[in-house]
Amino acid sequence: MPHRVVVLALDGVIPFELGIPQRIFGRSLSREPLNRGEKLYDVVTCSVRPPGPVLTDADFSVVVEHGPEVLATADTVVVPASYELGPVHEQGVLTEELAAAFAHVRPGTRLVSICTGGYVLAAAGFLDGRPATTHWASADHFQRLFPRVRVDPDVLFVDDGDVLTSAGVAAGIDLCLHIVRRDHGTAVANEVARRTVVPPHRDGGQAQYIERPLPEPGLASTVAARTWALGRLGEPIPLRDMARREAMSVRTFTRRFREEVGVSPGQWLTLQRVERARRLLESTGLSVDQVARDAGFRTATSLRQHFRAAVGVTPTVYRKTFRATAGDRA
């Protein structure tokens, strides 16, 4: 019998994410000679209520033909993101409907979340003591709400055996392809990826999609030094020169800087240089060596080392992902 995947559609579900499991698992076909072309997964969708309409975050609803009892038949349960999680998102607790629905899930069932669907798994206690991820914009809130979960905001997905979580939106495709690859091998996963017109594997993680703007100055006493440094990132910037801009000793300046920004001056400079390199890679045709010099890393080797540590991919891979050229075609 095909492996049964049950997708739990909650009010406020994002239609794109709701369709990912059907698109990936539902198109996974056997390549074995005796049953070539047969479906490897049986994908069904259910609600926490009896069959009927489920609201989405778009201007339409979807009609779901199964109630929560079908969760008892699942080998894998997938929870896509929803914008109507109420107490799950606000207090970290399940609603009565959700608790009753999860009571149908058999022990040992594989659990998967897409984007902020991880809030549901965490509220149900399935992520306690485990590594997990969610959309980068929700990662801090998620960690505060569920302190027992080991949140990694930089990766596209986390595979912890029988519980798997993905980052935001399209990262659900990466996770589902990973599950197909884990279950049935690379050839099957690659074929699904080709039919879906997506890469079978993406380099890097969420870090390459996160903007890290300069913190609001407010009443900060090191803002003049930061503004001065931002205007000359391509030059050497000694710590003593930054401290001199604020008429402080190096020791006092370093302490004040860390209090206001949260990192040391050296760490902050590296992050700002990485951000400058990102902008240059996105918007110019400069070589990696030129980008390294203009961003203040001096050498391409230094740029690659710091860029990969901060963003998760090399400068070349980042440019291919984010820079559109005149010759590109949609």
Side-chain angles (χ1 to χ4, degrees):
M1 295 294 293
H3 181 107
R4 169 158 279 197
V5 176
V6 177
V7 185
L8 181 58
L10 304 173
D11 281 334
V13 69
I14 301 172
F16 177 83
E17 297 185 17
L18 180 62
I20 289 174
Q22 176 61 50
R23 178 69 232 188
I24 302 301
F25 297 121
R27 297 296 186 274
S28 297
L29 305 178
S30 174
R31 297 172 62 88
E32 296 295 327
L34 295 179
N35 57 353
R36 180 176 293 273
E38 292 184 5
K39 287 191 174 184
L40 295 169
Y41 299 91
D42 172 34
V43 185
V44 298
T45 304
C46 77
S47 169
V48 293
R49 299 184 296 272
V54 173
L55 299 174
T56 73
D57 80 324
D59 64 341
F60 57 85
S61 299
V62 294
V63 176
V64 176
E65 298 183 357
H66 299 280
E69 63 279 354
V70 79
L71 288 166
T73 70
D75 299 301
T76 294
V77 172
V78 181
V79 185
S82 166
Y83 285 130
E84 300 292 338
L85 292 178
V88 175
H89 187 267
E90 295 163 6
Q91 289 92 39
V93 296
L94 294 180
T95 63
E96 290 185 8
E97 283 185 326
L98 267 173
F102 272 102
H104 292 285
V105 178
R106 296 173 298 170
T109 300
R110 182 165 59 189
L111 301 172
V112 177
S113 66
I114 299 176
C115 191
T116 55
Y119 277 80
V120 176
L121 298 187
F126 293 118
L127 299 183
D128 286 353
R130 289 179 178 263
T133 192
T134 188
H135 193 292
W136 62 264
S138 299
D140 288 343
H141 177 260
F142 188 89
Q143 184 65 88
R144 290 194 302 272
L145 195 62
F146 304 108
R148 298 181 64 184
V149 181
R150 305 199 306 273
V151 181
D152 186 344
D154 292 331
V155 296
L156 291 175
F157 60 82
V158 171
D159 179 346
D160 196 39
D162 60 340
V163 179
L164 302 92
T165 53
S166 88
V169 196
I173 297 176
D174 297 283
L175 177 55
C176 289
L177 284 172
H178 167 77
I179 293 171
V180 173
R181 189 180 304 112
R182 196 179 87 170
D183 290 350
H184 300 287
T186 299
V188 174
N190 287 355
E191 178 63 21
V192 177
R194 279 193 291 269
R195 290 181 177 273
T196 312
V197 198
V198 296
H201 175 77
R202 279 196 291 170
D203 291 325
Q206 291 195 87
Q208 59 189 307
Y209 303 98
I210 304 172
E211 289 187 349
R212 295 183 173 87
L214 185 67
E216 289 293 329
L219 300 176
S221 61
T222 61
V223 65
R226 281 183 273 148
T227 302
W228 174 81
L230 286 173
R232 46 186 47 77
L233 288 174
E235 307 170 11
I237 304 177
L239 179 57
R240 63 178 180 277
D241 289 354
M242 293 183 69
R244 190 177 297 125
R245 304 295 300 184
E246 305 290 0
M248 298 180 189
S249 68
V250 169
R251 181 177 180 180
T252 299
F253 176 80
T254 300
R255 176 174 56 80
R256 291 275 183 85
F257 195 101
R258 188 179 286 277
E259 289 172 353
E260 293 167 8
V261 182
V263 295
S264 71
Q267 291 170 318
W268 178 84
L269 278 172
T270 297
L271 289 174
Q272 297 309 314
R273 284 172 166 146
V274 167
E275 290 303 308
R276 176 166 174 76
R278 286 170 62 153
R279 292 193 294 271
L280 292 172
L281 290 167
E282 291 176 17
S283 61
T284 75
L286 295 175
S287 69
V288 173
D289 287 293
Q290 290 174 307
V291 170
R293 288 193 295 271
D294 286 0
F297 286 109
R298 304 179 72 85
T299 69
T301 300
S302 178
L303 169 63
R304 291 188 187 97
Q305 176 185 347
H306 288 98
F307 198 92
R308 190 175 189 98
V311 182
V313 294
T314 65
T316 301
V317 169
Y318 183 85
R319 168 171 273 166
K320 288 180 179 178
T321 302
F322 288 96
R323 182 168 183 255
T325 64
D328 285 344
R329 294 291 185 269

